[in-house]
Amino acid sequence: MNIKEYFSSIFTGAHSLIKGMEVTGKELFTKKVTEQYPENRAELEIPERFRATLQFIYDEEGYHKCIACKTCERNCPNGTIQITTRMVDLPNGKKKMKLDKYMYDLGSCTFCGLCVNTCPTDAIEFSNDFEQAVFRREALLKQLNYLPEKEKPAPEPAAKPASPKPEAKPEVAEPAKPSAADVQSPNADKKEE
């Protein structure tokens, strides 16, 4: 190493040191933000897009939209979701796959969101409840369809529309049939002549 390279490396090192101190100096005078968790739970703001745990979306009547297609189970890279289904007979005689258990293992979830993005009926979503600490690993295994499933009411048979009464056709006066007296025979005309 010659003298030129030696002094060049000293100036380069000093320049990078000054740049680093500049960043540190800016951070020294910026306002500090410290969350006083868990004391500030009431005013804690969690971003809406934060992914914490998977949950079913139930409507106000207590129904979920899951059709047990198992798309989320197939797309999960870790095998976090296990779906158990059963076949049921419908009133019209057809069979349909129904959801029996939707098991979700929070301990192995990577929160990638593939299950939510690929659900064809938008039946699942991530909540932003981040407090999921437990003492036993078994407590991380959750059944998402925890509400007892209500049977949807069978569709009522469509009432046959009352057949409209046939409209009364306007009576068309039929031409009166000529009576025997009105009909003159052709021979009668010849006799009068």
Side-chain angles (χ1 to χ4, degrees):
M1 180 193 289
N2 61 18
I3 300 259
K4 185 178 179 184
E5 290 176 357
Y6 176 74
F7 285 112
S8 173
S9 65
I10 289 176
F11 286 124
T12 304
H15 179 66
S16 66
L17 178 66
I18 292 169
K19 279 284 189 193
M21 294 304 285
E22 202 174 300
V23 171
T24 305
K26 285 180 185 176
E27 287 300 316
L28 185 64
F29 296 108
T30 58
K31 183 180 176 186
K32 306 301 180 273
V33 179
T34 305
E35 293 288 345
Q36 299 297 324
Y37 180 80
E39 290 82 16
N40 67 344
R41 278 189 183 146
E43 60 268 356
L44 192 64
E45 292 182 26
I46 307 297
E48 188 178 320
R49 293 177 57 196
F50 179 75
R51 297 176 184 166
T53 183
L54 200 61
Q55 67 183 11
F56 261 25
I57 302 172
Y58 284 96
D59 63 7
E60 57 276 349
E61 296 172 1
Y63 297 111
H64 59 75
K65 298 186 215 173
C66 183
I67 57 173
C69 66
K70 297 189 179 184
T71 303
C72 53
E73 182 180 18
R74 287 190 300 273
N75 288 325
C76 182
N78 294 346
T80 299
I81 299 170
Q82 298 295 322
I83 297 175
T84 309
T85 58
R86 60 185 158 83
M87 292 295 280
V88 294
D89 294 324
L90 296 177
N92 60 4
K94 294 182 180 178
K95 292 185 181 267
K96 181 181 178 183
M97 190 81 71
K98 292 284 272 188
L99 178 67
D100 193 26
K101 280 189 178 179
Y102 193 107
M103 300 305 290
Y104 168 64
D105 187 5
L106 179 62
S108 65
C109 184
T110 58
F111 309 102
C112 63
L114 288 174
C115 54
V116 174
N117 293 338
T118 58
C119 182
T121 59
D122 295 327
I124 52 178
E125 68 180 356
F126 276 108
S127 72
N128 58 2
D129 178 20
F130 68 94
E131 294 178 328
Q132 299 297 324
V134 292
F135 290 104
R136 293 174 305 121
R137 188 171 289 198
E138 298 83 36
L140 293 173
L141 190 61
K142 301 179 179 194
Q143 183 174 349
L144 295 190
N145 59 333
Y146 56 90
L147 291 179
E149 189 167 350
K150 298 179 184 179
E151 291 296 324
K152 291 193 176 182
E156 295 179 14
K160 291 183 180 179
S163 58
K165 293 180 180 177
E167 293 181 17
K169 293 181 181 178
E171 292 185 22
V172 178
E174 293 181 16
K177 292 182 181 178
S179 62
D182 295 336
V183 177
Q184 294 179 355
S185 65
N187 295 338
D189 289 338
K190 289 181 183 177
K191 286 179 184 177
E192 290 177 6
E193 294 175 3

